């Protein structure tokens, strides 16, 4: 485990990355589980995400983008139509994991989870300096071929309540705490 | 890169593919960038025991594959002007560490709604070295008039 943490730490480039818990097995005892989630009940994400230039840059660089508008802040300030770094369309993934942390929607971190497919709508790209709040609404869970699926609707808004993005987040996860803990204790 | 305009795009246009080898370093970098530290991606020893996908190896993030599919659009049409307004993907096979991932895009539909609202639907596909589909999807992309 320490070896994994050390390997990952080599890539830390932002304040959020340095502070965020990288061991997802640690809090498995408190993650939401498929059988306990209340469908239809909304919660605020545990954390708010203040969009920093370094956050955008680290996502774009992880995708090995080469367009200077995505990876060179000074160039983007001069040449981008928004006068700031252009964001990769999937940047919202980082915002979601940060906002959820180990609170509402934490089944996203379940050991043993599988990703069948996702849908994301971006109404307006996030802007550097905005503080993003996320609402988590479990909208469905179902069983197909013995697998337990669940979907949360994640809505992202800035401090002026402008709706920025929605992610229909679906995973196949272990059906209950006992099964999650089996994976966590392997 | 010059902006591609809505009027310049045709149904059937192929976008140049993007390919990456999904090494453990690529997976680690994406885990840190996305804050998705599920051990199935990052914990090599845990994967040997858990075998979530039947393999003892780590696997790449589905969201990395989806991001690479979106990168096809960014790299073919200027990221500054082509705005992905929605994207969806279904993952058909896990991407084992060390796999080659090749992503393609093809214009499927044109939606001439109104100036400033026109968009195209791009069909996206990610395949492995053997051409086996790893993910299939679509993106709606707004382009300048």
């Amino acid at each position: 485990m320490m070896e994994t943490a050390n390997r990952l730490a080599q890539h830390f480039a932002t304040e959020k990355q340095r502070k965020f818990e990288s061991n997802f097995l640690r809090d498995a005892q408190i993650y939401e589980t498929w059988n306990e989630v209340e469908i239809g009940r909304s919660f605020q994400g545990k954390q708010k995400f203040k969009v920093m230039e370094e956050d955008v840059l680290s996502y774009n660089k992880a995708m090995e983008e080469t367009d200077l508008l995505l990876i060179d802040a000074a160039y983007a300030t001069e040449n981008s139509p928004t006068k700031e770094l252009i964001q990769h369309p999937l940047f919202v993934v980082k915002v979601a994991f940060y906002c959820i942390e180990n609170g509402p929607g934490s089944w996203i971190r379940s050991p043993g989870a599988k990703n069948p497919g996702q849908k994301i709508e971006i109404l307006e790209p996030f802007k550097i300096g905005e503080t993003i709040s996320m609402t988590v609404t479990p909208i469905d869970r179902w069983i197909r071929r013995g697998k337990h699926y669940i979907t949360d609707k994640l809505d992202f808004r800035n401090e002026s309540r402008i709706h920025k993005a929605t992610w229909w987040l679906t995973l196949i996860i272990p059906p209950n705490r006992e099964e999650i803990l089996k994976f966590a204790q392997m | 890169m010059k902006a591609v305009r809505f009027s310049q795009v045709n149904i059937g246009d192929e976008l140049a593919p993007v390919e990456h080898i999904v090494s453990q370093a690529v997976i680690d970098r994406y885990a840190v960038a996305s804050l998705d530290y599920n051990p199935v991606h990052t914990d090599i020893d845990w994967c040997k025991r858990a075998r979530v996908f039947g393999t003892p190896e780590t696997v790449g993030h589905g969201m990395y594959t989806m991001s690479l599919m979106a990168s096809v659009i960014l790299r073919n049409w200027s990221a500054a002007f082509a705005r992905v307004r929605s994207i969806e993907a279904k993952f058909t096979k896990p991407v084992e560490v060390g796999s080659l991932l090749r992503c393609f895009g093809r214009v499927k539909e044109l939606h001439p709604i109104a100036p400033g609202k026109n968009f195209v639907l791009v069909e996206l596909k990610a395949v492995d070295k053997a051409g086996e589909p790893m993910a299939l999807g679509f993106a709606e992309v707004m382009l300048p008039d």
Side-chain angles (χ1 to χ4, degrees):
Chain A
M1 184 51 69
M2 186 55 82
E3 189 192 323
T4 303
N6 290 340
R7 219 181 59 234
L8 293 168
Q10 295 170 34
H11 301 287
F12 290 172
T14 74
E15 194 188 339
K16 292 183 187 74
Q17 288 164 355
R18 283 185 276 272
K19 290 184 177 166
F20 197 81
E21 175 58 56
S22 67
N23 179 2
F24 276 16
L25 298 176
R26 204 185 71 170
D27 288 338
Q29 185 66 51
I30 60 168
Y31 293 163
E32 288 179 337
T33 59
W34 186 91
N35 60 327
E36 289 169 0
V37 168
E38 189 179 338
I39 302 298
R41 186 171 174 194
S42 297
F43 290 91
Q44 279 304 302
K46 185 173 176 182
Q47 308 256 34
K48 290 183 179 179
F49 188 106
K50 176 145 192 190
V51 183
M52 310 291 283
E53 194 174 81
E54 62 180 13
D55 299 321
V56 175
L57 200 54
S58 79
Y59 196 92
N60 292 349
K61 284 188 170 175
M63 291 314 302
E64 300 180 52
E65 296 302 336
T66 55
D67 186 336
L68 294 178
L69 293 173
L70 282 91
I71 56 165
D72 183 332
Y75 179 85
T77 304
E78 289 293 312
N79 297 287
S80 156
T82 58
K83 302 295 171 207
E84 59 184 52
L85 284 170
I86 302 288
Q87 237 164 75
H88 191 284
L90 274 285
F91 175 72
V92 69
V93 175
K94 174 189 288 213
V95 181
F97 272 91
Y98 186 81
C99 291
I100 290 172
E101 213 222 41
N102 60 7
S106 56
W107 54 255
I108 193 176
R109 299 159 63 128
S110 302
K114 296 176 180 175
N115 186 346
Q118 306 297 328
K119 181 179 178 187
I120 293 170
E121 195 173 294
I122 303 147
L123 302 163
E124 187 183 295
F126 301 116
K127 292 190 181 85
I128 290 165
E130 282 182 328
T131 300
I132 305 300
S133 304
M134 188 193 69
T135 308
V136 183
T137 311
I139 57 168
D140 198 6
R141 72 176 147 211
W142 67 101
I143 302 169
R144 187 161 66 204
R145 294 179 190 156
K147 294 174 182 169
H148 293 73
Y149 291 75
I150 185 163
T151 300
D152 270 0
K153 182 168 171 273
L154 308 179
D155 287 301
F156 301 85
R157 290 183 171 80
N158 69 7
E159 58 271 51
S160 304
R161 304 300 298 152
I162 292 171
H163 195 181
K164 308 290 279 189
T166 298
W167 179 2
W168 289 266
L169 165 64
T170 302
L171 288 182
I172 299 166
I173 58 173
N176 52 44
R177 175 87 49 219
E178 191 185 352
E179 292 300 315
I180 286 185
L181 292 178
K182 269 191 208 167
F183 277 110
Q185 288 156 7
M186 277 181 180
Chain B
M1 189 185 290
K2 266 181 81 175
V4 171
R5 301 193 172 277
F6 182 77
S7 58
Q8 296 172 303
V9 174
N10 298 297
I11 290 173
D13 284 357
E14 304 272 353
L15 281 69
V18 169
E19 66 177 46
H20 284 191
I21 290 176
V22 187
S23 64
Q24 191 59 51
V26 165
I27 295 173
D28 289 349
R29 208 163 44 227
Y30 186 78
V32 172
S34 64
L35 303 175
D36 178 356
Y37 293 109
N38 195 294
V40 79
H41 309 303
T42 58
D43 191 330
I44 295 166
D45 292 332
W46 183 85
C47 284
K48 285 178 188 156
R49 298 188 295 272
R51 292 178 176 249
V52 174
F53 291 97
T55 169
E57 306 286 346
T58 58
V59 299
H61 298 73
M63 301 317 289
Y64 174 80
T65 300
M66 195 166 169
S67 293
L68 205 57
M69 291 160 89
S71 289
V72 172
I73 294 159
L74 299 188
R75 295 182 200 184
N76 277 270
W77 297 335
S78 168
F81 299 99
R83 191 171 82 69
V84 175
R85 70 173 204 182
S86 75
I87 181 163
E88 55 183 292
K90 289 201 185 309
F91 305 109
T92 53
K93 211 175 148 187
V95 178
E96 281 191 43
V97 63
S99 301
L100 177 99
L101 201 55
R102 188 177 285 138
C103 298
F104 300 88
R106 183 174 155 272
V107 177
K108 179 95 173 159
E109 296 171 4
L110 301 176
H111 292 251
I113 307 298
K117 294 185 176 175
N118 298 331
F119 69 94
V120 300
L121 184 77
V122 179
E123 188 176 29
L124 298 163
K125 187 156 96 170
V127 303
D128 66 8
K129 195 177 175 183
E132 283 261 328
M134 312 297 273
L136 303 167
F138 291 96
E140 290 181 353
V141 185
M142 300 189 73
L143 291 171
D145 302 319

